[in-house]
Amino acid sequence: IWYVQKNDKGDWGVPKNCGDGVNTKFDEINPYLFADGGTLFFASEGQNSIGGFDIFQSSRTDESQEWSKAENIGYPLNTFDDDKYFCIAANGYMGYVSQVRKDGIGETDIYRFTLKTSLIKNKPVLFKAYLQKADGTAAKDALCNITRSSTGETIGGVIKSNAANGKIMAALPAGAYKLKAKGIKSGRLDVDFTIAGDEKNGKLEKTFKMLAPMKDDK
């Protein structure tokens, strides 16, 4: 499994190998990166498997670190058969797997699961930012980037503000961030914010007013 990042200009960088914590001499397939950007789920037949392919997870707090040693997510999400397909909701407690079970309609069916304990160690907070122009109206044409202050890593690529209310959203783990935005009609924004990780209801909402457009914005 390899990963690649897209820069602020929309160009893809050079693919990088996820390393020995994730990859083995056998097959690793179907990578699924959680919304926090730091939790990777994938199927492997070369790790400590219950069956042939099992679902594993690996994590890291920022891109300067190596991916951690993969951990089997365990039974009953993994079975004695091949388990290759998995996804999990933003809350970390509910998701879907593709499995062969006795109560199945066909051979492989899709099942929904609910967990008592979240699989996500650094549970993200839903960050909502309402961007306004200098006159207080919605910034409808802003293109935004959210980066980690510690590494400069871009989270979620380029985000376009909502055309109706200027809102942007991102699922972010605890940490310090910088939000940059620019729009021909909306103007510019460069602001720092922090996710504590213990926000009420797992949400943080902010309103930011942008600086008026400059001549070179056109």
Side-chain angles (χ1 to χ4, degrees):
I1 295 175
W2 301 67
Y3 68 97
V4 62
Q5 293 180 310
K6 185 181 288 186
N7 62 26
D8 295 345
K9 296 180 180 179
D11 298 323
W12 290 106
V14 178
K16 299 179 181 179
N17 194 288
C18 287
D20 295 340
V22 171
N23 292 311
T24 69
K25 64 181 180 179
F26 297 98
D27 286 336
E28 280 72 45
I29 60 174
N30 300 338
Y32 173 80
L33 185 64
F34 189 66
D36 64 356
T39 306
L40 175 67
F41 295 96
F42 63 98
S44 173
E45 62 177 355
Q47 301 280 355
N48 183 23
S49 299
I50 298 173
F53 278 97
D54 276 6
I55 305 297
F56 292 81
Q57 73 178 98
S58 177
S59 62
R60 63 179 187 178
T61 56
D62 61 64
E63 67 171 352
S64 66
Q65 296 183 334
E66 297 293 327
W67 288 99
S68 67
K69 176 62 178 176
E71 298 178 6
N72 193 306
I73 64 173
Y75 179 86
L77 297 182
N78 284 318
T79 68
F80 293 110
D81 291 303
D82 285 333
D83 300 288
K84 300 179 180 180
Y85 304 101
F86 168 94
C87 68
I88 192 166
N91 62 17
Y93 290 92
M94 189 272 288
Y96 297 88
V97 291
S98 176
Q99 293 182 338
V100 177
R101 289 179 175 269
K102 292 181 179 179
D103 61 349
I105 298 174
E107 182 176 357
T108 302
D109 284 3
I110 296 174
Y111 292 85
R112 187 177 75 170
F113 63 85
T114 302
L115 304 171
K116 293 182 178 179
T117 303
S118 175
L119 286 172
I120 309 304
K121 298 177 181 179
N122 190 10
K123 190 176 178 181
V125 170
L126 181 60
F127 173 68
K128 296 182 181 180
Y130 292 88
L131 307 183
Q132 297 179 349
K133 297 192 293 185
D135 63 4
T137 59
K140 300 179 179 181
D141 69 337
L143 297 178
C144 312
N145 282 293
I146 298 175
T147 58
R148 294 182 188 270
S149 299
S150 59
T151 64
E153 174 190 5
T154 299
I155 308 296
V158 178
I159 306 171
K160 190 180 187 304
S161 62
N162 185 284
N165 57 17
K167 181 177 70 174
I168 64 169
M169 294 192 300
L172 303 172
Y177 297 89
K178 180 179 288 291
L179 168 63
K180 289 187 177 183
K182 182 178 179 181
I184 295 176
K185 296 180 179 179
S186 299
R188 298 177 181 230
L189 177 70
D190 190 335
V191 65
D192 297 310
F193 67 94
T194 301
I195 300 291
D198 58 356
E199 283 78 5
K200 185 177 180 180
N201 298 323
K203 299 178 181 179
L204 176 65
E205 294 191 8
K206 295 280 189 180
T207 298
F208 298 114
K209 187 166 289 188
M210 302 175 68
L211 297 175
M214 300 174 65
K215 291 183 178 180
D216 60 355
D217 289 336
K218 298 181 180 181

